[in-house]
Amino acid sequence: MAGPWGGPSFVTIVTVSSTKTGQNNIVARTSAGNASADELIASVRKRFTSNSHDFALDVSFSLAAGITILFGPSGAGKTTLLNCLAGLTTPDSGEIAIAGRVLFDRERRVNLPVRRRRIGYVFQDLALFPHLSVRKNVAYGLADVDASERQRRTDAILESFRISHLREHKPRQISGGERQRVALARALVTDPCLLLLDEPLTALDTPTKSKIIDDLRAWNHAHQIQILYVTHNRDEVFALGERVLVLENGRIVADGTPHEVMTAPRLETVAQLAGFENIWDAIVVAINEDRGTMTCRIAGSDVQLETPLVRVETGSTLRLGIRAGDILLATMLPTGLSARNVITGRIVSRAQRDVIVVAHVDCGVEMEVHLTLAARDALQLEPGHQVWLIVKTHSSPLMAGS
């Protein structure tokens, strides 16, 4: 069944053919006319309306070769964006071009079908064919390639992802990490110009995930294509990402390096995603220009913190965030520290979560602190014990509200 302008309205193939004959050679004329010739340039608008839900995706961005993380809460539009790029969903308006080749342009009625976009797509559920061997799963997208070339490319990608020894196994006969490698190999064997990954490592343990991340990074170092990688995992952002786009309610709300976006977020919503457990209203009580800092008081308390200097007036109200893992805890008043913030309080509660101990401390406001098991045992913390919290100035970024 045909979709708009000749494109398919429904597809089940995860990867698309990489054959270069018959490609559309329309030259892209985009709003980013001076962008690099190899860039993905996308401007996508898509609205979904129902009796209970009204959602609109409206984004514009460009991507150079490398791994870009698409980060954001559930329902932000991440998968919708990937589907629009792949051709599985037709945008209401906008344009999509890669290396000057137009994939979609509503005004010019260009909408390349999935099989001609040369985009690899790995879904969260992988969608491997259970009746085919690893080798045949990987070679599936090379049906239009001659047999010798198909075998050469299949053998090479199986070697790259360390699954040559599994070539005749069926998906049910291999582990979850091995199935993930098969899915990546199947997407990449077609020589795509763009790879889309929708939370592909969610179900894997950390050691397996780390090895696959290393292999994916090594593969892309050699091939240099754009990879758009959806994840909710902060560790994956730092392990893989060269750039982070944060999506919320269908809009890009932050764009930068992992350090810029995750370590010093400008928006509260980004801070929550990045793992800032402690977020409060804070009132600027002093500006210390000579030190490059400000003194802020947490609203509703007497707790004052020295924070990085930003362009505001005394009396302004901002939002202040601190990660629970960035707070040090002492059972005696510490001295001789470079950290400028030392706050006294009492343990309210503590609970173990896997290998982390979560302590809540009342110091006029309640703060969450994360400790190792060794620290818990050494300090012998119990509810009611007096403690001192130590916070570095630059562990307290200020941000706009949501």
Side-chain angles (χ1 to χ4, degrees):
M1 181 168 55
W5 318 319
S9 60
F10 177 76
V11 297
T12 56
I13 298 175
V14 179
T15 55
V16 297
S17 173
S18 65
T19 54
K20 297 184 180 181
T21 57
Q23 289 182 0
N24 182 292
N25 291 315
I26 298 173
V27 176
R29 295 182 180 179
T30 71
S31 56
N34 59 353
S36 166
D38 295 329
E39 281 189 332
L40 161 68
I41 301 170
S43 178
V44 174
R45 288 170 290 281
K46 179 67 178 179
R47 179 176 292 276
F48 298 93
T49 302
S50 66
N51 292 334
S52 59
H53 185 62
D54 187 9
F55 175 80
L57 176 71
D58 188 351
V59 297
S60 295
F61 61 93
S62 63
L63 298 182
I67 301 174
T68 298
I69 300 295
L70 190 59
F71 195 64
S74 297
K78 302 184 298 296
T79 298
T80 297
L81 174 57
L82 264 55
N83 288 344
C84 287
L85 296 174
L88 303 178
T89 297
T90 301
D92 298 328
S93 61
E95 61 180 345
I96 302 166
I98 303 177
R101 176 171 167 263
V102 174
L103 309 184
F104 174 83
D105 188 319
R106 182 81 185 196
E107 289 188 1
R108 288 189 280 174
R109 299 179 65 80
V110 176
N111 188 22
L112 288 192
V114 173
R115 67 183 181 278
R116 293 178 59 196
R117 293 198 178 201
R118 292 188 56 225
I119 294 176
Y121 197 157
V122 179
F123 300 97
Q124 188 172 353
D125 64 3
L126 305 185
L128 297 177
F129 298 110
H131 62 292
L132 297 182
S133 67
V134 165
R135 176 178 57 82
K136 290 182 178 179
N137 259 289
V138 171
Y140 187 85
L142 299 176
D144 296 333
V145 178
D146 68 76
S148 61
E149 175 67 4
R150 182 164 62 248
Q151 180 174 335
R152 184 193 70 79
R153 289 166 65 172
T154 300
D155 288 345
I157 200 74
L158 289 175
E159 183 70 26
S160 292
F161 283 90
R162 309 185 202 193
I163 48 176
S164 293
H165 61 294
L166 302 173
R167 56 192 306 115
E168 299 307 325
H169 288 63
K170 300 289 178 59
R172 68 178 181 275
Q173 297 173 311
I174 60 179
S175 69
E178 290 165 342
R179 286 194 293 272
Q180 181 59 69
R181 289 175 180 273
V182 174
L184 285 170
R186 183 174 65 175
L188 294 171
V189 76
T190 60
D191 189 26
C193 55
L194 171 67
L195 176 63
L196 307 175
L197 302 172
D198 194 355
E199 298 191 79
L201 306 181
T202 300
L204 303 182
D205 60 75
T206 298
T208 301
K209 187 182 299 187
S210 297
K211 291 176 183 176
I212 294 175
I213 285 173
D214 288 344
D215 288 343
L216 179 60
R217 189 190 297 109
W219 185 93
N220 205 45
H221 180 74
H223 293 81
Q224 289 296 299
I225 68 169
Q226 292 98 339
I227 297 178
L228 194 55
Y229 186 108
V230 171
T231 182
H232 287 96
N233 187 297
R234 179 176 176 269
D235 292 336
E236 288 180 24
V237 173
F238 283 100
L240 262 176
E242 300 159 28
R243 178 181 172 193
V244 182
L245 299 177
V246 181
L247 202 61
E248 183 187 22
N249 295 325
R251 304 291 191 277
I252 294 173
V253 296
D255 179 0
T257 67
H259 178 81
E260 290 167 342
V261 172
M262 307 294 284
T263 305
R266 302 296 184 186
L267 294 173
E268 180 177 346
T269 51
V270 179
Q272 291 169 338
L273 290 169
F276 281 75
E277 293 84 359
N278 301 294
I279 300 177
W280 311 275
D281 284 328
I283 300 158
V284 179
V285 297
I287 295 175
N288 316 308
E289 291 191 11
D290 58 327
R291 301 203 301 263
T293 66
M294 304 188 307
T295 303
C296 295
R297 178 175 56 81
I298 297 177
S301 78
D302 295 325
V303 177
Q304 293 193 358
L305 292 166
E306 189 167 288
T307 69
L309 181 64
V310 297
R311 293 176 179 268
V312 293
E313 301 291 333
T314 302
S316 300
T317 299
L318 297 171
R319 295 287 276 173
L320 183 151
I322 305 174
R323 281 199 184 92
D326 288 342
I327 302 174
L328 299 180
L329 192 150
T331 54
M332 294 185 293
L333 176 64
T335 60
L337 296 175
S338 61
R340 307 314 304 153
N341 300 305
V342 178
I343 308 161
T344 188
R346 292 191 180 276
I347 300 289
V348 175
S349 65
R350 68 171 203 187
Q352 184 174 335
R353 296 181 192 165
D354 194 19
V355 295
I356 295 295
V357 174
V358 178
H360 288 92
V361 180
D362 182 2
C363 50
V365 292
E366 190 169 293
M367 294 192 185
E368 182 173 319
V369 183
H370 290 176
L371 308 166
T372 64
L373 301 180
R376 175 202 62 187
D377 296 340
L379 298 176
Q380 297 183 338
L381 299 173
E382 297 292 344
H385 281 188
Q386 184 176 16
V387 292
W388 284 262
L389 307 183
I390 305 159
V391 183
K392 294 189 295 184
T393 298
H394 289 279
S395 294
S396 311
L398 295 156
M399 64 201 79
S402 54

